[in-house]
């Protein structure tokens, strides 16, 4: 049971050790002044004000002890590679238009390649986190990046729709390594008080990419052949592949007393160094981790909430080009400029989130005796859900009644603001709840995003054609609003549910590998 604010003030916390798993249930206390002797026996930030959670070891090879510049370099590479999957997928949203003329097929048929890629994009994260926990982060990332690079080039060189579709589906199965498990790296190298800030940085390109892809693709298709869209994506994947060669392994077992000295960097890149400690890990346990993670009610409910919100964001993004060409006679150049709504909305959401998530956490801690419960992270989803619902409702009327296209752009941009804030909030919440399952919760949130987009892309066009955009998006707005009740439920009953279900037990020894 968590101590009350008054009891913490009267009885300072023992400053002997930090148990992250207990803190995940009772709430995290990072203010050093609330510990006995100002946490003199604990490791803190350089100014001594914030207690580091988890406590780093004395090993210089511990990723938590890496220099700030090395951590930022790793984050930059992970962030760049996390940008690529949805950029490539989003760029493909425009391609059914020119492909329909080249292959003499209906745009709806050509959308199957987009849909198949989105579905596999979600599954990719589960594979990635399983292999990363067993073989190591770095070799897994290198293999996934290599296959993604090859299949992207295949898609660019395809001469038939069947070949192109096969390339896009196979590409989806391997492209979501850092997008679907990126929080794994954040948990490896950053402390609790840094998580929301760096999750926000990681999610920024992930949310931006499905908008930047169509934006660039529209200009490319307007000026040249559609194949160059995929060749450009191939070049970006190749750059990511090269960058991976210069990053480092972040997998670190904190439950062993001795770590052998690290070998040469090239051995860590190829997984040779990580193979030496495979006896300490079980592939079956690594494969079961995602299933165990989803068995936790908070994880399942957050995935459902995210699925029901991100679906309509992607649904709009993947079909708006068709509405604009059919209803507003847009060409590729017009579409390219229109798609600036995405980067603008995501940028606003990123900058708002960069300050608001930390500011609200500090505000909550001051009102609760320095203790931050995971459920506090969810509060910002309320305004985020509200703006997404309102924007979606207005967008439906704007399309139905052929309002000015700027009305569509503004509403779609507001959707981006809301989903950016909500993504960081739910990701930080789950990481606070289950720090031992960082990669698994990221994979499931990624599935909620990808499968929501898959579902919406599949049903959006026929739904709007049958009912009209005002009614169809009105129903989607209602679904978005009802999904907010999941957040209400979690904030009320979440602590009790987590206490009743306990931690994610991944092995007989309950060790976090």
């Amino acid at each position: 049971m968590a101590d009350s604010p008054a009891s913490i003030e009267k009885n300072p916390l023992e400053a002997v050790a930090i148990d992250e798993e207990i803190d995940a249930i009772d709430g995290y206390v990072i203010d050093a002044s609330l510990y006995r002797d100002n946490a003199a026996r604990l490791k803190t930030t350089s100014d001594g004000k914030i207690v580091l959670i988890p406590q780093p070891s004395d090993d210089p090879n511990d990723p938590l002890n890496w220099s700030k510049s090395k951590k930022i370099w790793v984050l930059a590479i992970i962030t760049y590679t996390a940008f690529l999957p949805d950029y490539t997928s989003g760029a493909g949203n425009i391609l059914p238009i020119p492909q329909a003329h080249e292959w003499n097929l209906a745009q709806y048929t050509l959308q199957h390649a987009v849909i198949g890629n989105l579905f596999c994009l979600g599954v990719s994260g589960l594979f990635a986190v399983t292999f990363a926990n067993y073989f190591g982060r770095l070799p897994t990332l290198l293999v996934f990046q290599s296959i993604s690079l090859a299949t992207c080039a295949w898609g660019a060189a395809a001469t038939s729709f069947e070949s192109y579709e096969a390339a896009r589906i196979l590409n989806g199965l391997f492209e979501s390594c850092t997008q679907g498990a990126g929080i794994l790296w954040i948990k490896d190298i950053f402390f609790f008080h840094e998580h929301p800030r760096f999750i926000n940085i990681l999610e920024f390109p992930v949310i931006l990419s499905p908008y930047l892809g169509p934006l660039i693709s529209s200009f490319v298709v307007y000026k040249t052949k559609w194949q160059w869209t995929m060749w450009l994506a191939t070049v970006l994947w190749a750059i990511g592949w090269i960058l991976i060669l210069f990053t480092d392994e972040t997998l670190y077992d904190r439950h062993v007393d001795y770590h052998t000295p690290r070998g040469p960097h090239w051995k860590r890149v190829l997984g040779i160094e990580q193979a030496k400690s495979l006896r300490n890990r079980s592939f079956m346990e690594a494969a079961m981790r995602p299933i165990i993670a989803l068995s936790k009610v908070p994880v399942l409910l957050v995935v459902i909430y995210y699925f029901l919100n991100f679906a309509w964001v992607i649904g709009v993004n993947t079909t708006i080009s068709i509405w604009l060409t059919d209803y507003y006679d847009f060409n590729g150049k017009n579409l390219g400029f229109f798609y600036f709504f995405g980067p603008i909305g995501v940028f606003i959401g990123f900058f708002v989130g960069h300050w608001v998530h930390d500011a609200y956490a500090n505000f909550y801690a001051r009102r609760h005796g320095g203790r931050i419960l995971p459920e506090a992270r969810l509060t910002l989803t309320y305004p985020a859900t509200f703006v997404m619902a309102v924007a979606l409702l207005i967008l439906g009327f704007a399309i139905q009644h052929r309002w000015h296209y700027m009305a569509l752009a503004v509403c779609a941009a507001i959707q981006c603001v809301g989903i950016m804030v909500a993504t960081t909030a739910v990701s930080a919440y789950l990481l606070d709840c289950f720090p031992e399952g960082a990669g698994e919760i990221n994979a499931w949130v990624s599935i909620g995003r990808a499968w929501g987009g898959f579902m919406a892309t599949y049903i959006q066009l026929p739904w709007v054609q049958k009912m009209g955009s005002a009614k169809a998006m009105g129903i989607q707005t209602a679904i978005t609003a009802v999904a907010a009740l999941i957040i209400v439920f979690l904030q009320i009953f979440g602590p009790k549910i987590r206490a009743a279900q306990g931690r994610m037990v991944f092995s007989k020894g309950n060790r976090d590998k």
Side-chain angles (χ1 to χ4, degrees):
M1 180 69 69
D3 297 323
S4 67
S7 67
I8 293 178
E9 293 173 2
K10 294 178 181 179
N11 303 296
L13 298 173
E14 291 293 336
V16 178
I18 296 291
D19 190 326
E20 192 176 14
E21 295 188 0
I22 293 178
D23 285 350
I25 296 176
D26 292 342
Y28 297 82
V29 179
I30 60 175
D31 188 346
S33 66
L34 297 176
Y35 289 80
R36 199 175 304 279
D37 299 325
N38 287 320
R41 289 187 285 176
L42 294 175
K43 295 179 180 179
T44 63
T45 52
S46 57
D47 59 8
K49 294 181 179 180
I50 298 177
V51 174
L52 300 179
I53 303 175
Q55 290 280 283
S57 67
D58 295 323
D59 182 1
N61 290 322
D62 182 346
L64 290 174
N65 290 326
W66 287 353
S67 66
K68 184 176 181 180
S69 60
K70 184 172 182 177
K71 290 183 178 183
I72 296 302
W73 173 247
V74 172
L75 177 66
I77 294 175
I78 298 308
T79 300
Y80 175 79
T81 54
F83 162 83
L84 297 175
D86 274 345
Y87 168 83
T88 308
S89 180
N93 294 342
I94 300 296
L95 302 187
I97 299 173
Q99 288 172 342
H101 297 288
E102 180 172 330
W103 289 327
N104 195 29
L105 294 171
Q107 290 186 23
Y108 181 75
T109 300
L110 293 164
Q111 281 283 96
H112 291 171
V114 176
I115 295 169
N117 177 263
L118 281 173
F119 181 84
C120 293
L121 191 62
V123 178
S124 177
L126 293 180
F127 291 137
V129 73
T130 297
F131 295 138
N133 279 321
Y134 184 69
F135 294 107
R137 321 297 196 225
L138 187 51
T140 298
L141 177 56
L142 181 64
V143 170
F144 273 60
Q145 188 80 6
S146 300
I147 298 176
S148 298
L149 171 60
T151 52
C152 194
W154 174 9
T159 57
S160 68
F161 174 64
E162 291 76 14
S163 177
Y164 174 79
E165 184 178 29
R168 299 301 299 128
I169 290 174
L170 189 59
N171 181 259
L173 281 174
F174 290 94
E175 64 181 347
S176 187
C177 185
T178 49
Q179 185 190 102
I183 293 180
L184 200 60
W185 277 265
I186 288 180
K187 181 65 175 64
D188 286 343
I189 63 178
F190 294 111
F191 298 101
F192 167 82
H193 68 282
E194 301 173 313
H195 288 166
R197 189 185 324 147
F198 290 113
I199 289 174
N200 197 49
I201 291 174
L202 173 68
E203 294 295 347
F204 168 65
V206 172
I207 305 300
L208 172 66
S209 55
Y211 299 99
L212 198 58
L215 188 157
I216 294 176
S217 179
S218 296
F219 287 118
V220 172
V221 170
Y222 178 70
K223 284 293 186 180
T224 185
K225 295 181 178 180
W226 67 263
Q227 285 88 347
W228 280 107
T229 294
M230 297 306 298
W231 283 123
L232 175 59
T234 302
V235 171
L236 296 177
W237 280 99
I239 293 173
W241 188 91
I242 294 172
L243 289 174
I244 290 169
L245 301 179
F246 297 95
T247 188
D248 208 343
E249 178 59 69
T250 64
L251 179 63
Y252 188 85
D253 191 345
R254 303 188 179 282
H255 296 85
V256 298
D257 297 327
Y258 174 75
H259 292 85
T260 57
R262 288 193 165 191
H265 178 263
W266 68 269
K267 287 188 175 182
R268 297 197 294 277
V269 172
L270 297 179
I272 298 173
E273 193 69 22
Q274 295 88 325
K276 295 178 181 178
S277 60
L278 284 180
R279 63 183 181 278
N280 297 327
R281 300 188 289 275
S282 164
F283 184 79
M284 183 57 68
E285 288 177 5
M288 290 298 296
R289 287 173 69 108
I291 299 174
I292 294 171
L294 192 63
S295 71
K296 303 302 179 182
V297 172
V299 176
L300 177 61
L301 292 181
V302 164
V303 172
I304 294 173
Y305 164 82
Y306 200 55
F307 174 91
L308 295 176
N309 277 274
F310 209 90
W312 318 125
V313 176
I314 293 297
V316 169
N317 185 46
T318 56
T319 54
I320 202 167
S321 62
I322 296 175
W323 296 330
L324 290 170
T325 53
D326 290 348
Y327 302 158
Y328 296 87
D329 297 322
F330 270 38
N331 58 27
K333 183 179 180 181
N334 302 142
L335 286 175
F337 283 112
F338 184 89
Y339 266 103
F340 273 103
F341 79 83
I344 292 172
V346 176
F347 267 109
I348 294 172
F350 168 74
F351 284 113
V352 169
H354 186 75
W355 304 108
V356 171
H357 289 289
D358 283 344
Y360 181 76
N362 293 332
F363 169 77
Y364 181 92
R366 287 195 300 271
R367 292 177 60 89
H368 294 82
R371 194 180 293 277
I372 303 174
L373 278 176
E375 283 70 24
R377 305 289 192 191
L378 294 174
T379 303
L380 292 178
T381 62
Y382 294 124
T385 304
F386 175 77
V387 298
M388 285 190 288
V390 171
L392 185 60
L393 182 64
I394 296 175
L395 184 62
F397 283 97
I399 295 171
Q400 175 118 356
H401 298 291
R402 307 294 191 272
W403 294 358
H404 195 279
Y405 60 80
M406 283 305 297
L408 278 66
V410 171
C411 290
I414 292 173
Q415 273 192 304
C416 296
V417 175
I419 201 63
M420 182 70 224
V421 174
T423 298
T424 300
V426 298
S427 298
Y429 164 67
L430 289 180
L431 183 57
D432 288 359
C433 288
F434 305 104
E436 68 276 16
E440 289 73 24
I441 59 176
N442 191 181
W444 283 115
V445 169
S446 182
I447 280 183
R449 174 170 54 235
W451 286 2
F454 161 78
M455 180 271 294
T457 303
Y458 194 77
I459 67 174
Q460 186 84 320
L461 282 177
W463 194 358
V464 169
Q465 290 169 355
K466 181 179 180 180
M467 300 184 63
S469 61
K471 286 185 178 180
M473 293 186 177
I475 295 173
Q476 294 168 12
T477 301
I479 294 172
T480 298
V482 171
L485 296 178
I486 294 175
I487 303 300
V488 175
F489 177 84
L490 284 173
Q491 287 203 302
I492 296 174
F493 300 105
K496 293 182 179 179
I497 293 173
R498 291 188 290 106
Q501 283 198 299
R503 315 304 311 143
M504 292 182 182
V505 181
F506 294 130
S507 65
K508 294 180 180 179
N510 192 21
R511 295 185 354 172
D512 171 21
K513 294 183 175 63

